[in-house]
Amino acid sequence: MRELEADEIDEMLIRNGVGVLAMVDGAVPYAVPISFGYDVSQPIFPMQWGSGYEGRKNSVISDNPNVCLTVYEQDVDDESVWRSVVITGEISEIDTEDEEKAYAILAANAEFPPDFGIWGVPFEEVEFRLFGLQPDDRTGREFSTEYGGWDT
């Protein structure tokens, strides 16, 4: 294992526009795949999600805005190499005056599913909200069998 340098973390976050957002729902972990935007010059990770009829994500973050975003990848040229980046911080709704900038960042590298449908909720009743993760900490690691130290 080796620690990723700051520029390697930035490159990985630009390459990948989807990760796993982990939240705390009372005493229960709650993690969901989520699209995100990333721009090296901006201090925030914008995310947009749709919910309907009392969405769980909205409820969870209103009670506890502390979250963890994990992004991971397998190297396309060497399948024995894996990388991960973990970002912790607080998530909050993005202010109206920052929405245009946030949408531009999302458009640059977020990966959205082909179907924005929400289970059992007609599309016209889905409420889309824009959130940003303000990072407190971020770490990155690369793992490979080539680094040695693996017990078999």
Side-chain angles (χ1 to χ4, degrees):
M1 179 194 74
R2 74 172 184 87
E3 299 289 325
L4 295 178
E5 301 291 328
D7 61 328
E8 292 176 300
I9 291 173
D10 289 336
E11 290 168 8
M12 188 175 151
L13 293 172
I14 290 168
R15 264 194 317 272
N16 298 280
V18 67
V20 177
L21 183 68
M23 301 162 271
V24 180
D25 187 0
V28 178
Y30 175 53
V32 294
I34 192 118
S35 296
F36 67 90
Y38 183 72
D39 181 333
V40 175
S41 66
Q42 303 295 322
I44 199 161
F45 293 79
M47 302 172 201
Q48 181 183 32
W49 62 66
S51 64
Y53 310 149
E54 308 295 322
R56 184 174 180 189
K57 289 185 293 289
N58 294 336
S59 173
V60 170
I61 64 161
S62 69
D63 290 340
N64 185 349
N66 296 300
V67 298
C68 176
L69 176 66
T70 301
V71 180
Y72 59 92
E73 68 180 7
Q74 184 177 22
D75 191 286
V76 294
D77 296 322
D78 183 351
E79 293 182 356
S80 73
V81 176
W82 285 77
R83 291 176 206 87
S84 63
V85 172
V86 176
I87 302 110
T88 57
E90 286 194 9
I91 195 166
S92 60
E93 199 150 8
I94 291 179
D95 294 329
T96 305
E97 63 269 9
D98 295 326
E99 283 183 356
E100 187 175 330
K101 183 182 351 175
Y103 281 122
I105 294 170
L106 277 170
N109 77 310
E111 297 176 31
F112 291 104
D115 178 12
F116 274 110
I118 306 295
W119 291 99
V121 180
F123 185 78
E124 61 275 2
E125 294 181 33
V126 174
E127 175 191 14
F128 286 99
R129 296 174 67 189
L130 187 61
F131 289 86
L133 169 56
Q134 193 72 29
D136 291 331
D137 187 44
R138 67 181 204 162
T139 58
R141 292 187 175 87
E142 181 176 87
F143 304 88
S144 173
T145 55
E146 296 173 12
Y147 296 145
W150 296 89
D151 295 329
T152 55

